[in-house]
Amino acid sequence: LLVSLASDEESQSNGTLVIVSTNAGGHAINRYMLEEAKKGLHTLEKVDGDTLRGVLLNAESVNLPLYSFLSEYSIPVSVIPFLPLTREHVRACISSELRENGATLSSQEINTLLGQVQFFSKELPIFAKTGCKKISSKVNLALGGVPDL
């Protein structure tokens, strides 16, 4: 959720921007993505931000009070949904973390790390239940480091 607190004229000089992160609507997004994946994995490539914003804003189970409140006062708000990570995204997170640490792991060790990540749903376990932050901790442990708390 991106919120610009400045008017259009002020934003040219002020540029105030507030970023609010929330997991509100995550279940609706995950449910939608699973439905799309069941149609065929190729359909996931066609999912765009506008479609997901529609899913979020039209879902009865999703409550975005800050969005509603700010919109009532004509404060510009942009909703930017986060997509669930696939196995390949998680693999990319691992590779990125290894590069940042100047380290390498074998393919087998990377697959072991992937095996520690929980994926959903039971019928089609292709999306990770966590994001890249948790992967960073797992890579750190695999490299012999101390777990992040």
Side-chain angles (χ1 to χ4, degrees), residues 52 61 76 91 133 137 141:
L52 289 175
S61 62
R91 189 180 301 278
K133 280 187 181 180
S137 296
L141 279 172

Side-chain angles (χ1 to χ4, degrees), residues 28 31 34 61 64 68 86 92 101 107 114-115 125 129-130 136 149:
R31 191 169 34 255
L34 279 171
S61 62
L64 298 172
S68 301
T86 64
N101 284 292
S107 295
L114 273 172
K129 288 187 175 182
T130 61
S136 173
L149 299 177

Side-chain angles (χ1 to χ4, degrees), residues 9-30:
E9 290 176 6
E10 292 173 327
S11 66
Q12 292 176 6
S13 60
N14 183 338
T16 303
L17 181 70
V18 177
I19 299 174
V20 179
S21 179
T22 179
N23 63 357
H27 291 295
I29 290 174
N30 291 344

Side-chain angles (χ1 to χ4, degrees), residues 24-25 28-29 31-32 49-64 67-68 79:
I29 290 174
R31 191 169 34 255
Y32 177 80
D50 290 335
T51 302
L52 289 175
R53 276 186 283 282
V55 168
L56 283 175
L57 297 176
N58 295 322
E60 290 181 23
S61 62
V62 177
N63 185 14
L64 298 172
Y67 177 84
S68 301
V79 176

Side-chain angles (χ1 to χ4, degrees), residues 7-109:
S7 69
D8 288 341
E9 290 176 6
E10 292 173 327
S11 66
Q12 292 176 6
S13 60
N14 183 338
T16 303
L17 181 70
V18 177
I19 299 174
V20 179
S21 179
T22 179
N23 63 357
H27 291 295
I29 290 174
N30 291 344
R31 191 169 34 255
Y32 177 80
M33 293 299 289
L34 279 171
E35 288 171 10
E36 289 300 304
K38 288 176 184 175
K39 294 176 188 175
L41 295 179
H42 66 281
T43 62
L44 297 179
E45 296 172 9
K46 297 176 183 172
V47 174
D48 62 10
D50 290 335
T51 302
L52 289 175
R53 276 186 283 282
V55 168
L56 283 175
L57 297 176
N58 295 322
E60 290 181 23
S61 62
V62 177
N63 185 14
L64 298 172
L66 186 60
Y67 177 84
S68 301
F69 175 78
L70 294 171
S71 295
E72 285 177 21
Y73 289 93
S74 300
I75 297 173
V77 178
S78 296
V79 176
I80 302 173
F82 289 98
L83 297 176
L85 302 178
T86 64
R87 288 184 188 277
E88 289 312 308
H89 292 128
V90 173
R91 189 180 301 278
C93 291
I94 292 170
S95 296
S96 175
E97 191 64 27
L98 288 170
R99 271 192 308 278
E100 286 180 25
N101 284 292
T104 59
L105 290 175
S106 69
S107 295
Q108 183 177 358
E109 291 169 316

